[in-house]
Amino acid sequence: MIPDDLRYTAEHEWVRGGDGPVRVGITHFAQDALGDIVYVQLPEQGAQVNAGDSFGEVESTKSVSEIYAPITGTVVARNDKLVDEPETINSDPYGEGWLVEIEPGDPAALDGLLTADAYRELTES
């Protein structure tokens, strides 16, 4: 459940893309640990986010968890479907359960994220 074509953070976010905006979500590992997701708070389109800073929250029946920006940039889209259907993150974390799209301030920042193999090691330890 760790797609090889994505990049990851130690905080369990995934990033898909390269040139132009990148799509961001939380990993299967994270949604599984959270349990049933009941609420999602996302930043507004146009918001500036900084790598490592919290930009939203995911609330489950177990807890509330911060969502951290994997890179610095501008939010160019958000998945408003999650307002009414937050459980989509549980059922399809790498597809319809995406959170936001960010236009990177520095596209090279993606190179600093974890590869699928590195993320596997992190979650298995």
Side-chain angles (χ1 to χ4, degrees):
M1 294 303 283
I2 300 175
D4 288 329
D5 63 330
L6 305 178
R7 290 295 190 132
Y8 300 87
T9 70
E11 291 77 28
H12 309 289
E13 287 87 19
W14 58 261
V15 177
R16 173 181 290 126
D19 297 333
V22 297
R23 188 164 273 189
V24 177
I26 65 170
T27 65
H28 172 75
F29 181 90
Q31 70 78 27
D32 190 51
L34 285 167
D36 294 335
I37 295 173
V38 296
Y39 175 77
V40 179
Q41 178 207 347
L42 299 173
E44 294 296 325
Q45 189 170 334
Q48 297 293 312
V49 295
N50 294 309
D53 288 355
S54 171
F55 70 75
E57 292 180 345
V58 175
E59 183 177 334
S60 72
T61 54
K62 294 181 184 179
S63 67
V64 176
S65 296
E66 300 285 324
I67 307 166
Y68 297 96
I71 57 170
T72 297
T74 303
V75 175
V76 295
R78 57 186 243 158
N79 189 353
D80 288 326
K81 173 183 180 179
L82 299 179
V83 172
D84 295 323
E85 300 174 36
E87 67 278 3
T88 305
I89 295 171
N90 293 116
S91 61
D92 192 10
Y94 298 113
E96 293 298 313
W98 64 277
L99 303 174
V100 297
E101 290 182 351
I102 298 173
E103 181 69 49
D106 176 11
L110 295 175
D111 297 336
L113 299 176
L114 299 172
T115 63
D117 287 339
Y119 184 69
R120 266 187 213 97
E121 287 181 28
L122 176 78
T123 59
E124 291 170 0
S125 58

